[in-house]
Amino acid sequence: MENNKCKAFIECIERGSISAAADSLGYTPSAISQLITSLEKELGLKLLVRSQKGVKPTSEGETLLPAFRSYIAKEQDIYHIASELKGVVKGNLSIAAYPSVATNWLPEIVRRFKSEYPGIHINIRESIRENMFQNFEQNTADMGIMVYSEPMPYEWIPLIEIPVLAALPEDHPFAKADKFPIKECENSDFILGSWGREIEILNILEKNDTHPDIKYTTYDTPATLAMVRMGLGISLVNELSARYWNEHLVKLPLDPPQTVTFGVAVPSREHMTNAAKKFLQFAIDFIEE
């Protein structure tokens, strides 16, 4: 079985259309269609349902999808091992990261890493916690840079403690205070990220016996803070994610103080590729500076 057929099928599912898969892989839509048709003939199964809205897998295609992902991952393992045996690091490295990490840390870490290992192609996936774990299950990410919270079903390497802040509109009654009592979250409309499943913030609220009225949910911090600036409510955010948001809102330390732990989750530290191990060390060195 040719790997380009498997890659074409996987991309069609991930992108939702043949044209998007073609753009991602550098093929024409016609070539992608031919690869999928050839794969279906080879297996004797219908794998994709095509419509004007795009494509989706048949039940057979859905069942085979994890096997196709594993097939491609094993091929990458072979190339990684061969490169390491030759003393030349080449291949692909996929890093899932919180948007705050992708914005504030990864550009510099990647710049340093690429200067020493230009043969590594790096793919950065901006993800929330739930998506990262899906990436691990689908063998589409080598590591995830995120905030620790239970449950943590993967190996964990802690990096740094980051303060959690209250984000308030400029006209909030506590806007000119030195600190924000966490219990005051119960007295304002509350905005919560990660589609309302921001576990690290929920854990802090629970630990402090605080139960705010969650009026809005968002995907990530920029949307949350934009809503705070418009006076739609308040939120709790870690300092890293709010670092560049300094106009038309107020950021205050919490009382009592709260922190979250940023670190790296990996499916298995023992089975990390050499490239992933080297990148992890670059990340550790960057944070220690």
mmCIF file of all heavy atoms in Angstrom, residues 29-73:
data_model
loop_
_atom_site.group_PDB
_atom_site.id
_atom_site.type_symbol
_atom_site.label_atom_id
_atom_site.label_comp_id
_atom_site.label_asym_id
_atom_site.label_seq_id
_atom_site.Cartn_x
_atom_site.Cartn_y
_atom_site.Cartn_z
ATOM 1 N N PRO A 29 -6.754 18.695 -6.960
ATOM 2 C CA PRO A 29 -7.922 17.933 -6.491
ATOM 3 C C PRO A 29 -8.143 16.655 -7.292
ATOM 4 O O PRO A 29 -8.534 15.627 -6.736
ATOM 5 C CB PRO A 29 -9.076 18.926 -6.665
ATOM 6 C CG PRO A 29 -8.432 20.270 -6.536
ATOM 7 C CD PRO A 29 -7.084 20.124 -7.195
ATOM 8 N N SER A 30 -7.865 16.708 -8.591
ATOM 9 C CA SER A 30 -8.022 15.519 -9.426
ATOM 10 C C SER A 30 -7.079 14.407 -8.980
ATOM 11 O O SER A 30 -7.474 13.227 -8.924
ATOM 12 C CB SER A 30 -7.761 15.871 -10.893
ATOM 13 O OG SER A 30 -7.800 14.721 -11.702
ATOM 14 N N ALA A 31 -5.848 14.776 -8.635
ATOM 15 C CA ALA A 31 -4.873 13.770 -8.197
ATOM 16 C C ALA A 31 -5.300 13.138 -6.878
ATOM 17 O O ALA A 31 -5.157 11.919 -6.686
ATOM 18 C CB ALA A 31 -3.493 14.409 -8.067
ATOM 19 N N ILE A 32 -5.830 13.949 -5.967
ATOM 20 C CA ILE A 32 -6.314 13.415 -4.689
ATOM 21 C C ILE A 32 -7.460 12.440 -4.933
ATOM 22 O O ILE A 32 -7.521 11.348 -4.340
ATOM 23 C CB ILE A 32 -6.765 14.549 -3.750
ATOM 24 C CG1 ILE A 32 -5.569 15.405 -3.319
ATOM 25 C CG2 ILE A 32 -7.490 13.988 -2.542
ATOM 26 C CD1 ILE A 32 -4.578 14.691 -2.425
ATOM 27 N N SER A 33 -8.394 12.803 -5.812
ATOM 28 C CA SER A 33 -9.515 11.921 -6.125
ATOM 29 C C SER A 33 -9.026 10.592 -6.684
ATOM 30 O O SER A 33 -9.550 9.520 -6.333
ATOM 31 C CB SER A 33 -10.451 12.590 -7.127
ATOM 32 O OG SER A 33 -11.106 13.701 -6.552
ATOM 33 N N GLN A 34 -8.015 10.656 -7.541
ATOM 34 C CA GLN A 34 -7.470 9.426 -8.126
ATOM 35 C C GLN A 34 -6.816 8.556 -7.065
ATOM 36 O O GLN A 34 -6.938 7.320 -7.093
ATOM 37 C CB GLN A 34 -6.469 9.782 -9.226
ATOM 38 C CG GLN A 34 -7.097 10.400 -10.469
ATOM 39 C CD GLN A 34 -6.067 10.856 -11.486
ATOM 40 O OE1 GLN A 34 -4.922 10.420 -11.453
ATOM 41 N NE2 GLN A 34 -6.474 11.731 -12.394
ATOM 42 N N LEU A 35 -6.097 9.188 -6.116
ATOM 43 C CA LEU A 35 -5.460 8.419 -5.044
ATOM 44 C C LEU A 35 -6.509 7.721 -4.174
ATOM 45 O O LEU A 35 -6.337 6.550 -3.800
ATOM 46 C CB LEU A 35 -4.597 9.340 -4.175
ATOM 47 C CG LEU A 35 -3.295 9.846 -4.801
ATOM 48 C CD1 LEU A 35 -2.660 10.930 -3.932
ATOM 49 C CD2 LEU A 35 -2.314 8.692 -4.995
ATOM 50 N N ILE A 36 -7.578 8.436 -3.844
ATOM 51 C CA ILE A 36 -8.637 7.844 -3.020
ATOM 52 C C ILE A 36 -9.325 6.703 -3.768
ATOM 53 O O ILE A 36 -9.573 5.627 -3.212
ATOM 54 C CB ILE A 36 -9.677 8.905 -2.611
ATOM 55 C CG1 ILE A 36 -9.030 9.996 -1.754
ATOM 56 C CG2 ILE A 36 -10.841 8.252 -1.870
ATOM 57 C CD1 ILE A 36 -8.442 9.507 -0.453
ATOM 58 N N THR A 37 -9.619 6.926 -5.050
ATOM 59 C CA THR A 37 -10.262 5.879 -5.863
ATOM 60 C C THR A 37 -9.376 4.642 -5.942
ATOM 61 O O THR A 37 -9.856 3.500 -5.821
ATOM 62 C CB THR A 37 -10.554 6.402 -7.274
ATOM 63 O OG1 THR A 37 -11.443 7.520 -7.186
ATOM 64 C CG2 THR A 37 -11.191 5.320 -8.132
ATOM 65 N N SER A 38 -8.074 4.853 -6.128
ATOM 66 C CA SER A 38 -7.130 3.742 -6.196
ATOM 67 C C SER A 38 -7.087 2.977 -4.875
ATOM 68 O O SER A 38 -7.051 1.736 -4.856
ATOM 69 C CB SER A 38 -5.736 4.260 -6.548
ATOM 70 O OG SER A 38 -4.786 3.214 -6.543
ATOM 71 N N LEU A 39 -7.120 3.719 -3.752
ATOM 72 C CA LEU A 39 -7.101 3.080 -2.443
ATOM 73 C C LEU A 39 -8.369 2.262 -2.225
ATOM 74 O O LEU A 39 -8.323 1.142 -1.700
ATOM 75 C CB LEU A 39 -6.952 4.140 -1.349
ATOM 76 C CG LEU A 39 -6.892 3.641 0.103
ATOM 77 C CD1 LEU A 39 -5.701 2.714 0.309
ATOM 78 C CD2 LEU A 39 -6.810 4.831 1.068
ATOM 79 N N GLU A 40 -9.503 2.803 -2.635
ATOM 80 C CA GLU A 40 -10.770 2.087 -2.482
ATOM 81 C C GLU A 40 -10.777 0.805 -3.310
ATOM 82 O O GLU A 40 -11.250 -0.242 -2.844
ATOM 83 C CB GLU A 40 -11.929 3.000 -2.888
ATOM 84 C CG GLU A 40 -12.174 4.150 -1.906
ATOM 85 C CD GLU A 40 -13.253 5.106 -2.358
ATOM 86 O OE1 GLU A 40 -13.429 5.267 -3.588
ATOM 87 O OE2 GLU A 40 -13.922 5.698 -1.495
ATOM 88 N N LYS A 41 -10.227 0.888 -4.518
ATOM 89 C CA LYS A 41 -10.160 -0.312 -5.359
ATOM 90 C C LYS A 41 -9.218 -1.348 -4.750
ATOM 91 O O LYS A 41 -9.506 -2.554 -4.765
ATOM 92 C CB LYS A 41 -9.682 0.069 -6.765
ATOM 93 C CG LYS A 41 -10.714 0.813 -7.595
ATOM 94 C CD LYS A 41 -10.186 1.121 -8.992
ATOM 95 C CE LYS A 41 -11.232 1.825 -9.837
ATOM 96 N NZ LYS A 41 -10.706 2.156 -11.197
ATOM 97 N N GLU A 42 -8.092 -0.880 -4.211
ATOM 98 C CA GLU A 42 -7.113 -1.788 -3.621
ATOM 99 C C GLU A 42 -7.711 -2.544 -2.432
ATOM 100 O O GLU A 42 -7.438 -3.740 -2.239
ATOM 101 C CB GLU A 42 -5.881 -1.000 -3.182
ATOM 102 C CG GLU A 42 -4.755 -1.855 -2.637
ATOM 103 C CD GLU A 42 -3.514 -1.039 -2.316
ATOM 104 O OE1 GLU A 42 -3.432 0.134 -2.740
ATOM 105 O OE2 GLU A 42 -2.621 -1.574 -1.628
ATOM 106 N N LEU A 43 -8.518 -1.855 -1.624
ATOM 107 C CA LEU A 43 -9.095 -2.474 -0.430
ATOM 108 C C LEU A 43 -10.451 -3.121 -0.694
ATOM 109 O O LEU A 43 -10.936 -3.899 0.123
ATOM 110 C CB LEU A 43 -9.249 -1.429 0.671
ATOM 111 C CG LEU A 43 -7.945 -0.802 1.188
ATOM 112 C CD1 LEU A 43 -8.250 0.279 2.218
ATOM 113 C CD2 LEU A 43 -7.030 -1.858 1.792
ATOM 114 N N GLY A 44 -11.073 -2.758 -1.807
ATOM 115 C CA GLY A 44 -12.391 -3.293 -2.106
ATOM 116 C C GLY A 44 -13.471 -2.721 -1.222
ATOM 117 O O GLY A 44 -14.483 -3.376 -0.955
ATOM 118 N N LEU A 45 -13.268 -1.481 -0.757
ATOM 119 C CA LEU A 45 -14.207 -0.831 0.148
ATOM 120 C C LEU A 45 -14.432 0.616 -0.260
ATOM 121 O O LEU A 45 -13.527 1.273 -0.782
ATOM 122 C CB LEU A 45 -13.679 -0.857 1.587
ATOM 123 C CG LEU A 45 -13.545 -2.219 2.272
ATOM 124 C CD1 LEU A 45 -12.747 -2.055 3.552
ATOM 125 C CD2 LEU A 45 -14.903 -2.818 2.556
ATOM 126 N N LYS A 46 -15.625 1.109 -0.025
ATOM 127 C CA LYS A 46 -15.917 2.528 -0.196
ATOM 128 C C LYS A 46 -15.485 3.246 1.074
ATOM 129 O O LYS A 46 -15.931 2.901 2.173
ATOM 130 C CB LYS A 46 -17.408 2.736 -0.428
ATOM 131 C CG LYS A 46 -17.803 4.144 -0.791
ATOM 132 C CD LYS A 46 -17.397 4.499 -2.211
ATOM 133 C CE LYS A 46 -17.988 5.864 -2.605
ATOM 134 N NZ LYS A 46 -17.529 6.255 -3.948
ATOM 135 N N LEU A 47 -14.603 4.246 0.945
ATOM 136 C CA LEU A 47 -14.034 4.906 2.119
ATOM 137 C C LEU A 47 -14.583 6.304 2.357
ATOM 138 O O LEU A 47 -14.627 6.766 3.490
ATOM 139 C CB LEU A 47 -12.510 4.991 1.980
ATOM 140 C CG LEU A 47 -11.770 3.657 1.851
ATOM 141 C CD1 LEU A 47 -10.286 3.900 1.646
ATOM 142 C CD2 LEU A 47 -12.010 2.791 3.076
ATOM 143 N N LEU A 48 -14.968 6.997 1.290
ATOM 144 C CA LEU A 48 -15.427 8.382 1.413
ATOM 145 C C LEU A 48 -16.798 8.570 0.792
ATOM 146 O O LEU A 48 -17.128 7.959 -0.222
ATOM 147 C CB LEU A 48 -14.452 9.337 0.711
ATOM 148 C CG LEU A 48 -13.135 9.703 1.395
ATOM 149 C CD1 LEU A 48 -12.389 10.716 0.543
ATOM 150 C CD2 LEU A 48 -13.363 10.243 2.787
ATOM 151 N N VAL A 49 -17.590 9.417 1.427
ATOM 152 C CA VAL A 49 -18.854 9.883 0.857
ATOM 153 C C VAL A 49 -18.634 11.306 0.390
ATOM 154 O O VAL A 49 -18.266 12.179 1.181
ATOM 155 C CB VAL A 49 -19.990 9.831 1.896
ATOM 156 C CG1 VAL A 49 -21.273 10.397 1.294
ATOM 157 C CG2 VAL A 49 -20.214 8.415 2.380
ATOM 158 N N ARG A 50 -18.827 11.541 -0.893
ATOM 159 C CA ARG A 50 -18.612 12.868 -1.467
ATOM 160 C C ARG A 50 -19.951 13.585 -1.634
ATOM 161 O O ARG A 50 -20.941 12.986 -2.043
ATOM 162 C CB ARG A 50 -17.907 12.748 -2.825
ATOM 163 C CG ARG A 50 -16.530 12.089 -2.760
ATOM 164 C CD ARG A 50 -16.079 11.655 -4.156
ATOM 165 N NE ARG A 50 -14.708 11.177 -4.197
ATOM 166 C CZ ARG A 50 -14.328 9.959 -3.879
ATOM 167 N NH1 ARG A 50 -15.243 9.087 -3.455
ATOM 168 N NH2 ARG A 50 -13.065 9.598 -3.964
ATOM 169 N N SER A 51 -19.953 14.884 -1.336
ATOM 170 C CA SER A 51 -21.147 15.701 -1.536
ATOM 171 C C SER A 51 -20.719 17.127 -1.835
ATOM 172 O O SER A 51 -19.529 17.457 -1.793
ATOM 173 C CB SER A 51 -22.039 15.674 -0.285
ATOM 174 O OG SER A 51 -21.425 16.388 0.781
ATOM 175 N N GLN A 52 -21.680 17.987 -2.122
ATOM 176 C CA GLN A 52 -21.363 19.388 -2.396
ATOM 177 C C GLN A 52 -20.789 20.083 -1.167
ATOM 178 O O GLN A 52 -20.089 21.085 -1.281
ATOM 179 C CB GLN A 52 -22.617 20.131 -2.870
ATOM 180 C CG GLN A 52 -23.113 19.688 -4.244
ATOM 181 C CD GLN A 52 -24.310 20.486 -4.698
ATOM 182 O OE1 GLN A 52 -24.982 21.138 -3.891
ATOM 183 N NE2 GLN A 52 -24.592 20.443 -5.996
ATOM 184 N N LYS A 53 -21.071 19.561 0.029
ATOM 185 C CA LYS A 53 -20.560 20.151 1.263
ATOM 186 C C LYS A 53 -19.152 19.672 1.609
ATOM 187 O O LYS A 53 -18.545 20.170 2.553
ATOM 188 C CB LYS A 53 -21.507 19.839 2.419
ATOM 189 C CG LYS A 53 -22.889 20.469 2.267
ATOM 190 C CD LYS A 53 -23.766 20.140 3.465
ATOM 191 C CE LYS A 53 -25.131 20.784 3.329
ATOM 192 N NZ LYS A 53 -26.010 20.475 4.485
ATOM 193 N N GLY A 54 -18.636 18.685 0.873
ATOM 194 C CA GLY A 54 -17.303 18.164 1.158
ATOM 195 C C GLY A 54 -17.309 16.653 1.194
ATOM 196 O O GLY A 54 -18.073 16.007 0.460
ATOM 197 N N VAL A 55 -16.480 16.086 2.037
ATOM 198 C CA VAL A 55 -16.393 14.632 2.153
ATOM 199 C C VAL A 55 -16.452 14.228 3.619
ATOM 200 O O VAL A 55 -16.101 15.000 4.508
ATOM 201 C CB VAL A 55 -15.082 14.085 1.531
ATOM 202 C CG1 VAL A 55 -15.034 14.348 0.039
ATOM 203 C CG2 VAL A 55 -13.860 14.673 2.233
ATOM 204 N N LYS A 56 -16.903 13.018 3.841
ATOM 205 C CA LYS A 56 -16.865 12.422 5.182
ATOM 206 C C LYS A 56 -16.642 10.929 5.021
ATOM 207 O O LYS A 56 -16.951 10.354 3.969
ATOM 208 C CB LYS A 56 -18.154 12.706 5.956
ATOM 209 C CG LYS A 56 -19.402 12.107 5.342
ATOM 210 C CD LYS A 56 -20.622 12.433 6.201
ATOM 211 C CE LYS A 56 -21.871 11.800 5.615
ATOM 212 N NZ LYS A 56 -23.068 12.088 6.457
ATOM 213 N N PRO A 57 -16.089 10.275 6.040
ATOM 214 C CA PRO A 57 -15.796 8.849 5.897
ATOM 215 C C PRO A 57 -17.052 7.994 5.952
ATOM 216 O O PRO A 57 -18.014 8.329 6.637
ATOM 217 C CB PRO A 57 -14.875 8.558 7.088
ATOM 218 C CG PRO A 57 -15.279 9.561 8.115
ATOM 219 C CD PRO A 57 -15.660 10.795 7.351
ATOM 220 N N THR A 58 -17.033 6.895 5.205
ATOM 221 C CA THR A 58 -18.061 5.878 5.385
ATOM 222 C C THR A 58 -17.794 5.179 6.722
ATOM 223 O O THR A 58 -16.781 5.435 7.376
ATOM 224 C CB THR A 58 -18.002 4.846 4.254
ATOM 225 O OG1 THR A 58 -16.722 4.196 4.292
ATOM 226 C CG2 THR A 58 -18.190 5.518 2.895
ATOM 227 N N SER A 59 -18.683 4.293 7.124
ATOM 228 C CA SER A 59 -18.451 3.561 8.369
ATOM 229 C C SER A 59 -17.184 2.718 8.263
ATOM 230 O O SER A 59 -16.419 2.600 9.226
ATOM 231 C CB SER A 59 -19.649 2.675 8.700
ATOM 232 O OG SER A 59 -19.896 1.737 7.662
ATOM 233 N N GLU A 60 -16.921 2.166 7.053
ATOM 234 C CA GLU A 60 -15.693 1.405 6.847
ATOM 235 C C GLU A 60 -14.467 2.314 6.930
ATOM 236 O O GLU A 60 -13.445 1.954 7.510
ATOM 237 C CB GLU A 60 -15.725 0.691 5.493
ATOM 238 C CG GLU A 60 -16.740 -0.429 5.385
ATOM 239 C CD GLU A 60 -18.131 0.074 5.016
ATOM 240 O OE1 GLU A 60 -18.305 1.303 4.897
ATOM 241 O OE2 GLU A 60 -19.050 -0.761 4.875
ATOM 242 N N GLY A 61 -14.596 3.504 6.328
ATOM 243 C CA GLY A 61 -13.483 4.456 6.376
ATOM 244 C C GLY A 61 -13.195 4.913 7.791
ATOM 245 O O GLY A 61 -12.032 5.057 8.189
ATOM 246 N N GLU A 62 -14.258 5.132 8.575
ATOM 247 C CA GLU A 62 -14.093 5.541 9.974
ATOM 248 C C GLU A 62 -13.379 4.449 10.774
ATOM 249 O O GLU A 62 -12.515 4.734 11.610
ATOM 250 C CB GLU A 62 -15.467 5.820 10.590
ATOM 251 C CG GLU A 62 -15.430 6.453 11.955
ATOM 252 C CD GLU A 62 -15.018 7.910 11.916
ATOM 253 O OE1 GLU A 62 -15.498 8.647 11.038
ATOM 254 O OE2 GLU A 62 -14.202 8.292 12.775
ATOM 255 N N THR A 63 -13.733 3.204 10.495
ATOM 256 C CA THR A 63 -13.108 2.085 11.203
ATOM 257 C C THR A 63 -11.632 1.952 10.850
ATOM 258 O O THR A 63 -10.797 1.649 11.715
ATOM 259 C CB THR A 63 -13.838 0.772 10.856
ATOM 260 O OG1 THR A 63 -15.207 0.881 11.246
ATOM 261 C CG2 THR A 63 -13.202 -0.408 11.577
ATOM 262 N N LEU A 64 -11.291 2.210 9.582
ATOM 263 C CA LEU A 64 -9.911 2.046 9.125
ATOM 264 C C LEU A 64 -9.019 3.246 9.437
ATOM 265 O O LEU A 64 -7.795 3.125 9.391
ATOM 266 C CB LEU A 64 -9.889 1.789 7.607
ATOM 267 C CG LEU A 64 -10.290 0.391 7.157
ATOM 268 C CD1 LEU A 64 -10.485 0.362 5.652
ATOM 269 C CD2 LEU A 64 -9.219 -0.617 7.561
ATOM 270 N N LEU A 65 -9.625 4.394 9.758
ATOM 271 C CA LEU A 65 -8.844 5.622 9.943
ATOM 272 C C LEU A 65 -7.726 5.484 10.973
ATOM 273 O O LEU A 65 -6.579 5.877 10.704
ATOM 274 C CB LEU A 65 -9.778 6.782 10.304
ATOM 275 C CG LEU A 65 -9.127 8.159 10.452
ATOM 276 C CD1 LEU A 65 -8.425 8.574 9.159
ATOM 277 C CD2 LEU A 65 -10.181 9.200 10.835
ATOM 278 N N PRO A 66 -7.977 4.915 12.180
ATOM 279 C CA PRO A 66 -6.864 4.765 13.137
ATOM 280 C C PRO A 66 -5.724 3.907 12.592
ATOM 281 O O PRO A 66 -4.556 4.175 12.875
ATOM 282 C CB PRO A 66 -7.539 4.090 14.345
ATOM 283 C CG PRO A 66 -8.981 4.437 14.225
ATOM 284 C CD PRO A 66 -9.265 4.468 12.761
ATOM 285 N N ALA A 67 -6.059 2.890 11.802
ATOM 286 C CA ALA A 67 -5.021 2.033 11.229
ATOM 287 C C ALA A 67 -4.188 2.797 10.214
ATOM 288 O O ALA A 67 -2.956 2.627 10.142
ATOM 289 C CB ALA A 67 -5.654 0.802 10.579
ATOM 290 N N PHE A 68 -4.827 3.653 9.416
ATOM 291 C CA PHE A 68 -4.078 4.475 8.462
ATOM 292 C C PHE A 68 -3.139 5.433 9.193
ATOM 293 O O PHE A 68 -1.995 5.626 8.792
ATOM 294 C CB PHE A 68 -5.044 5.278 7.576
ATOM 295 C CG PHE A 68 -5.734 4.469 6.512
ATOM 296 C CD1 PHE A 68 -7.108 4.536 6.344
ATOM 297 C CD2 PHE A 68 -5.010 3.639 5.671
ATOM 298 C CE1 PHE A 68 -7.747 3.793 5.367
ATOM 299 C CE2 PHE A 68 -5.638 2.891 4.677
ATOM 300 C CZ PHE A 68 -7.012 2.965 4.528
ATOM 301 N N ARG A 69 -3.635 6.031 10.288
ATOM 302 C CA ARG A 69 -2.783 6.946 11.060
ATOM 303 C C ARG A 69 -1.586 6.198 11.633
ATOM 304 O O ARG A 69 -0.455 6.694 11.622
ATOM 305 C CB ARG A 69 -3.587 7.577 12.205
ATOM 306 C CG ARG A 69 -4.720 8.491 11.761
ATOM 307 C CD ARG A 69 -5.294 9.213 12.980
ATOM 308 N NE ARG A 69 -6.557 9.857 12.715
ATOM 309 C CZ ARG A 69 -6.708 11.041 12.139
ATOM 310 N NH1 ARG A 69 -5.636 11.688 11.737
ATOM 311 N NH2 ARG A 69 -7.906 11.568 11.953
ATOM 312 N N SER A 70 -1.829 5.010 12.157
ATOM 313 C CA SER A 70 -0.752 4.201 12.721
ATOM 314 C C SER A 70 0.255 3.815 11.653
ATOM 315 O O SER A 70 1.468 3.814 11.892
ATOM 316 C CB SER A 70 -1.345 2.957 13.377
ATOM 317 O OG SER A 70 -0.325 2.140 13.913
ATOM 318 N N TYR A 71 -0.226 3.501 10.467
ATOM 319 C CA TYR A 71 0.644 3.131 9.335
ATOM 320 C C TYR A 71 1.604 4.270 9.005
ATOM 321 O O TYR A 71 2.813 4.064 8.836
ATOM 322 C CB TYR A 71 -0.235 2.799 8.131
ATOM 323 C CG TYR A 71 0.505 2.418 6.869
ATOM 324 C CD1 TYR A 71 0.933 1.109 6.652
ATOM 325 C CD2 TYR A 71 0.762 3.359 5.873
ATOM 326 C CE1 TYR A 71 1.599 0.754 5.486
ATOM 327 C CE2 TYR A 71 1.426 3.019 4.713
ATOM 328 C CZ TYR A 71 1.839 1.712 4.521
ATOM 329 O OH TYR A 71 2.504 1.372 3.365
ATOM 330 N N ILE A 72 1.073 5.490 8.922
ATOM 331 C CA ILE A 72 1.914 6.654 8.616
ATOM 332 C C ILE A 72 2.873 6.941 9.759
ATOM 333 O O ILE A 72 4.050 7.273 9.545
ATOM 334 C CB ILE A 72 1.037 7.890 8.329
ATOM 335 C CG1 ILE A 72 0.178 7.648 7.078
ATOM 336 C CG2 ILE A 72 1.898 9.138 8.159
ATOM 337 C CD1 ILE A 72 0.967 7.378 5.820
ATOM 338 N N ALA A 73 2.397 6.800 11.000
ATOM 339 C CA ALA A 73 3.265 7.046 12.162
ATOM 340 C C ALA A 73 4.424 6.061 12.187
ATOM 341 O O ALA A 73 5.572 6.436 12.489
ATOM 342 C CB ALA A 73 2.447 6.954 13.446
#
